[in-house]
């Protein structure tokens, strides 16, 4: 029976190890949210993006060998694109079939690097317009058919076994350990069964720890200068932490159960430390404890040789676990003393509490590993169906055939601190969340001042800012606001930086680049939306381009085609170039061709109206033949902005004006710009113009 007991214990430990590994895989790989997060982390790993950049460059050069002269440019651009947030939704769509296989579907593993290469061609053209003439005009088309076949890995189907093993293996392992402790005919079977289960859990944690050290050693020796090596190290870096958590749970829970089941165990910290020291120095005359100590020291020595730094981390984790057990022992002993009095130290309450905690920890860990995960990968990677700006019907329409909700002075928000004369109820991100897709913003140079939270228009732009503010708000309003700001005593203390201000930054400001970073994050999370920035630009094109690039928005920007025609919303979304940037005063020229000269693309209406009766559809800026039409629809009275917005944004006022302007100008109003977009029914009017 002793041999049977030992055999059952060995098998039980093996099943616990298998169950722990399966539980981690089930939780970290077969759950859509975690799978998507791991894929994103691996994709953006420096070594992985570098090697993918090389692979994409090889693919482009294989399609067009003469481009070998541009290899450094192609590689650096591809690396930046592969790691950029803009590619997140594209990768999400590419790996969705892979997750479908893992989750039980019939999909195939698909990663069309050719599509990424086509994006690189477009991005290179954007970054370096001079290269445009070098790239063959049909290269992106040829790349779409080059090495773009689907690849199915049948091995992935075997991962479905994990679903079963994640709950069955640990359950059988615990049952076998309990059986191993109870088959020996001797008194105290229940306590011995619990002790076997606890010790078996500790041993399983040790075996798994050794396996992690060995695997970490092997992965660390791979060459991250190759794609396979870079992927191996990135994937291991993502998953190893979860495996170490499993080791800790097995070891701590098992030790708690074993201590609670040991007869006469004193859970006071001093006794526990003395017992551990005694086992290390002299495990006693029995052969199996000595074998256990020898094997433990052998494994520790091997681990030190293979992964010394990892062993240091393990030792620190063991010390942490020991401290937890010591604290737990001290706590339950103290509680027991309070309950029954110090004279009765033989009561079983402390051991029962420790054992219960250990059992609960082990059961919780096993349930966490086996609990069904989310299978909605589309939601996890924010893949937003097939609609374009919320409607399938818009996908086949060109940009200039779509009406978009727009906000005037989008940055001037009532819920943001420090804004005088706010013209919108909330900030830019909230506007995007509610459906606004064209943001009319004003850029100025500003400086932080001696008054915390107050930014001043920089000296070079201050006179123009004051003049525009007086024209927009009136002398009395500007003078009052400046007195409140005590603006005459402001001393600039910070560097000159791009801000979003309405003329005078003292009346309200938002630092431009951080806001654009938030816009980039929003676009990452909404891959089926086309967004437009229309900038009244007092900031130079070079500094504007730097803001866009530093914010990570460059992969999103749209650059016009040679013939000037606008693409469909669907093609903009598929290409990733779905951020249109227009400048009122200065376009980007050939240096920044994606900074569009606004009024060479857009014609608009007047915008200075004192009363709704003054609304007109007359031509203001631009020429009558330009494809995009901006309707400015607000009352220029800052004393009653909200009241006026409620009146003029009402559907029975706004929609007739849009219809009138469409008829009079023979153009669909593309940008419908209003103040306080939450008043009236801007979105209903825009939907009506789009035919919904």
């Amino acid at each position: 029976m002793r041999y049977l007991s030992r055999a059952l214990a060995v098998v039980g430990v093996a099943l616990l190890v298998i169950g722990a590994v399966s539980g981690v895989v089930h939780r970290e790989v077969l759950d859509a949210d975690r799978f998507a997060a791991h894929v994103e982390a691996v994709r953006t790993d420096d070594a992985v993006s570098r090697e993918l950049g090389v692979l994409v460059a090889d693919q482009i050069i294989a399609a067009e060998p003469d481009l070998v002269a541009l290899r450094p440019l192609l590689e650096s651009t591809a690396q930046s694109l592969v790691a950029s947030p803009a590619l997140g939704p594209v990768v999400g769509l590419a790996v969705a079939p892979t997750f479908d296989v893992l989750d039980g579907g019939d999909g195939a593993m698909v990663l069309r690097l050719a599509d990424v290469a086509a994006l690189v061609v477009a991005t290179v053209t954007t970054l370096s317009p001079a290269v445009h003439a070098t790239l063959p005009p049909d290269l992106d088309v040829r790349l779409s058919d080059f090495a773009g076949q689907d690849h199915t890995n049948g091995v992935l189907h075997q991962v479905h076994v994990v679903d079963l093993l994640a709950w069955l293996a640990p359950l059988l392992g615990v049952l076998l350990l309990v059986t191993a402790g109870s088959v020996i005919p001797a008194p105290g079977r229940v306590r011995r069964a619990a002790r076997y289960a606890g010790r078996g859990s500790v041993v399983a944690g040790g075996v798994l720890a050794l396996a992690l050290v060995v695997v970490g050693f092997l992965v660390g020796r791979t060459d991250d200068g190759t794609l396979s090596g870079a992927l191996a190290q990135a994937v291991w870096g993502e998953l190893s932490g979860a495996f170490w958590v499993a080791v800790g749970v097995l070891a701590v829970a098992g030790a708690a159960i074993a201590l609670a089941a040991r007869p006469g165990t004193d859970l006071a910290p001093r006794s526990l430390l003395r017992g551990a020291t005694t086992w290390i120095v002299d495990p006693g005359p029995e052969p199996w404890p000595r074998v256990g100590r020898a094997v433990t020291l052998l494994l520790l020595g091997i681990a030190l040789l293979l992964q010394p730094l990892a062993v240091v981390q393990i030792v620190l984790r063991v010390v942490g676990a020991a401290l937890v057990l010591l604290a737990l022992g001290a706590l339950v002993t103290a509680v027991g003393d309070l309950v029954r009095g110090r004279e009765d130290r033989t009561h079983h309450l402390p051991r029962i509490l420790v054992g219960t905690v250990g059992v609960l920890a082990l059961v919780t860990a096993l349930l966490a590993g086996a609990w069904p995960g989310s299978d909605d990968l589309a939601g996890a990677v924010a893949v937003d169906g097939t609609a374009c700006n919320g409607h399938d019907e818009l996908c086949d329409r060109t940009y200039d055939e779509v009406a978009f909700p727009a906000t005037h002075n989008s940055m001037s928000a009532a819920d943001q601190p420090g804004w005088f004369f706010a013209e919108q109820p909330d900030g830019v991100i909230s506007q995007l969340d509610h459906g606004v897709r064209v943001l009319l913003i004003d850029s100025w140079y500003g400086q932080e001042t001696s008054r915390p939270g107050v930014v001043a228009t920089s000296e070079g732009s201050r006179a123009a800012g004051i003049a525009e503010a007086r024209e927009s708000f009136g002398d009395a309003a500007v003078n009052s606001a400046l007195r409140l700001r005590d603006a005459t005593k402001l001393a600039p203390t910070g560097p000159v930086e791009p801000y979003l201000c309405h003329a005078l930054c003292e009346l309200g400001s938002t630092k431009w680049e951080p806001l654009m970073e938030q816009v980039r994050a929003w676009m990452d999370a909404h891959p089926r939306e086309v967004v437009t920035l229309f900038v009244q630009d007092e900031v130079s094109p070079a500094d504007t381009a730097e803001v866009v690039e530093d914010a990570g928005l460059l992969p999103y920007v749209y650059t016009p085609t040679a013939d000037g025609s606008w693409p469909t919303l669907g093609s903009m979304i598929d290409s990733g170039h779905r951020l249109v940037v227009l400048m009122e005063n200065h376009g980007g020229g050939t240096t920044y061709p994606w900074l569009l000269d606004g009024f060479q693309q857009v014609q608009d209406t007047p915008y200075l109206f004192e009363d709704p009766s003054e609304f007109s559809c007359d031509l203001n800026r631009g020429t009558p033949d330009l494809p995009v039409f901006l309707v400015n629809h607000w009352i220029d009275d800052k004393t009653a902005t909200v009241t006026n917005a409620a009146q003029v944004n009402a559907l029975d006022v706004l929609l007739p004006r849009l219809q009138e302007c469409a008829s009079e100008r023979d153009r669909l109003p593309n940008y419908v710009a209003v103040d306080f977009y939450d008043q009236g029914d801007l979105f209903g009017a825009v939907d009506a113009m789009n035919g919904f």
Side-chain angles (χ1 to χ4, degrees):
M1 296 304 292
R2 290 185 180 278
Y3 286 116
L4 175 61
S5 172
R6 291 163 187 166
L8 291 175
V10 170
V11 176
V13 167
L15 285 173
L16 270 185
V17 173
I18 293 171
V21 173
S22 299
V24 171
V25 173
H26 184 267
R27 181 173 172 81
E28 299 297 325
V29 178
L30 299 185
D31 177 81
D33 293 329
R34 291 184 177 85
F35 179 80
H38 293 321
V39 168
E40 184 69 4
V42 169
R43 175 181 70 84
T44 56
D45 179 82
D46 288 341
V48 172
S49 60
R50 181 189 67 237
E51 294 307 312
L52 283 174
V54 172
L55 183 60
V56 169
D58 288 342
Q59 186 167 282
I60 293 174
I61 292 171
E64 184 58 49
D66 289 337
L67 294 181
V68 67
L70 300 178
R71 172 179 283 279
L73 176 63
L74 296 174
E75 286 184 1
S76 62
T77 303
Q79 179 181 348
S80 299
L81 182 62
V82 166
S84 74
L87 203 64
V90 178
V91 173
L93 289 169
V95 301
T98 301
F99 184 81
D100 186 44
V101 171
L102 295 175
D103 193 52
D106 297 321
M109 189 194 308
V110 180
L111 183 57
R112 294 174 59 91
L113 285 177
D115 294 338
V116 180
L119 288 177
V120 171
V121 173
T123 306
V124 167
T125 303
T126 300
L127 289 171
S128 301
V131 178
H132 180 67
T134 308
L135 297 176
D138 63 340
L139 179 58
D140 55 344
V141 177
R142 285 188 282 134
L143 284 170
S144 66
D145 296 322
F146 180 79
Q149 293 79 19
D150 295 346
H151 301 282
T152 302
N153 188 349
V155 176
L156 290 176
H157 291 282
Q158 299 176 11
V159 179
H160 299 306
V161 178
V162 170
D163 275 325
L164 180 65
L165 292 179
W167 67 269
L168 182 59
L171 178 61
L172 290 177
V174 172
L175 289 176
L176 287 179
L177 288 170
V178 169
T179 304
S182 59
V183 295
I184 300 175
R189 288 189 178 186
V190 174
R191 182 177 291 144
R192 189 167 56 252
R195 192 162 65 249
Y196 266 66
R199 290 178 176 176
S201 180
V202 172
V203 172
V207 172
L208 182 55
L210 178 63
L212 294 181
V213 170
V214 173
V215 173
F217 171 79
L218 296 175
V219 171
R221 297 305 182 272
T222 58
D223 182 6
D224 67 356
T226 65
L227 181 57
S228 60
L231 284 170
Q233 293 190 21
V235 170
W236 183 244
E238 274 295 293
L239 297 181
S240 60
F243 283 111
W244 280 114
V245 170
V247 169
V249 170
L250 286 172
V252 173
I257 295 171
L259 286 172
R262 185 176 178 181
T265 299
D266 185 353
L267 296 178
R270 182 181 301 174
S271 298
L272 292 175
L273 282 174
R274 187 167 54 246
T277 304
T278 300
W279 182 83
I280 294 173
V281 175
D282 181 13
E286 293 294 325
W288 282 110
R290 297 204 308 272
V291 170
R293 184 186 66 166
V295 171
T296 301
L297 294 177
L298 176 64
L299 295 179
L300 182 61
I302 294 173
L304 279 169
L305 290 173
L306 295 180
Q307 290 276 72
L309 294 179
V311 172
V312 171
Q313 293 179 335
I314 296 170
V315 170
L316 292 176
R317 290 189 176 101
V318 170
V319 171
L323 290 175
V324 170
L325 285 176
L326 290 173
L328 187 61
L331 179 62
V332 297
T333 301
V335 171
D337 289 343
L338 289 174
V339 171
R340 65 181 184 276
R342 289 184 175 276
E343 68 280 359
D344 182 13
R345 298 299 300 271
T346 60
H347 199 275
H348 298 302
L349 178 61
R351 290 206 305 276
I352 292 173
L353 290 175
V354 170
T356 301
V357 170
V359 170
L360 289 176
L362 191 59
V363 170
T364 301
L366 297 180
L367 287 176
W371 197 263
S374 167
D375 59 1
D376 181 17
L377 185 69
V381 297
V383 175
D384 188 11
T386 59
C388 299
N389 283 39
H391 295 278
D392 289 328
E393 298 90 338
L394 296 181
C395 292
D396 293 330
R397 298 186 193 177
T398 59
Y399 179 89
D400 55 333
E401 294 175 338
V402 177
F404 302 92
T407 48
H408 168 235
N409 285 331
S410 311
M411 70 287 169
S412 175
D415 71 341
Q416 304 293 311
W419 278 98
F420 288 87
F421 315 118
E423 288 164 292
Q424 301 301 333
D426 44 30
V428 163
I429 302 305
S430 182
Q431 294 172 36
L432 290 171
D433 286 339
H434 285 99
V436 173
R437 292 297 175 263
V438 179
L439 304 167
L440 277 60
I441 55 178
D442 296 2
S443 68
W444 291 78
Y445 288 109
Q447 289 178 274
E448 294 182 355
T449 68
S450 53
R451 295 192 62 186
V454 178
V455 173
T457 303
S458 66
E459 190 61 34
S461 305
R462 186 170 175 77
I466 291 176
E468 182 173 324
R470 293 189 185 283
E471 180 182 356
S472 299
F473 307 127
D475 290 341
V478 171
N479 290 339
S480 296
L482 290 178
R483 280 194 297 271
L484 289 172
R485 282 293 199 206
D486 196 15
T488 57
K489 297 180 182 179
L490 291 176
T493 59
V496 175
E497 297 179 275
Y499 283 82
L500 297 182
C501 315
H502 188 27
L504 202 58
C505 293
E506 290 87 336
L507 306 182
S509 65
T510 297
K511 189 173 286 190
W512 197 3
E513 183 184 325
L515 179 60
M516 292 300 98
E517 291 175 354
Q518 295 177 43
V519 171
R520 184 214 64 218
W522 188 91
M523 295 190 71
D524 291 346
H526 298 82
R528 304 291 302 176
E529 302 295 327
V530 175
V531 175
T532 300
L533 302 177
F534 204 156
V535 186
Q536 179 184 324
D537 50 317
E538 298 300 326
V539 171
S540 71
D543 288 341
T544 299
E546 184 176 356
V547 166
V548 172
E549 184 171 1
D550 289 348
L553 280 169
L554 190 59
Y556 282 127
V557 297
Y558 167 76
T559 303
T561 58
D563 63 3
S565 62
W566 284 94
T568 64
L569 261 58
S571 63
M572 294 176 74
I573 289 169
D574 291 343
S575 71
H577 302 303
R578 50 191 180 87
L579 176 65
V580 178
V581 184
L582 298 155
M583 310 281 279
E584 283 195 14
N585 300 322
H586 309 288
T590 57
T591 306
Y592 311 105
W594 46 272
L595 290 178
L596 310 186
D597 191 328
F599 291 108
Q600 290 187 9
Q601 299 285 342
V602 179
Q603 53 178 301
D604 76 342
T605 68
Y607 53 83
L608 297 175
F609 303 111
E610 299 296 332
D611 186 87
S613 62
E614 298 177 7
F615 281 140
S616 79
C617 300
D618 296 342
L619 177 66
N620 183 33
R621 294 167 292 186
T623 59
D625 59 335
L626 293 176
V628 179
F629 182 21
L630 162 63
V631 173
N632 299 303
H633 189 82
W634 61 87
I635 299 299
D636 194 41
D637 175 8
K638 305 307 177 187
T639 64
T641 310
V642 177
T643 300
N644 289 332
Q647 179 184 0
V648 302
N649 294 354
L651 190 64
D652 58 358
V653 176
L654 177 55
L655 182 57
R657 184 180 180 218
L658 296 177
Q659 293 169 335
E660 178 185 353
C661 290
S663 175
E664 186 176 323
R665 299 282 286 271
D666 195 26
R667 285 285 188 279
L668 173 72
N670 302 108
Y671 305 157
V672 182
V674 302
D675 284 343
F676 282 90
Y677 72 94
D678 61 327
Q679 301 296 312
D681 194 2
L682 167 65
F683 302 107
V686 169
D687 279 348
M689 296 306 296
N690 282 323
F692 303 131

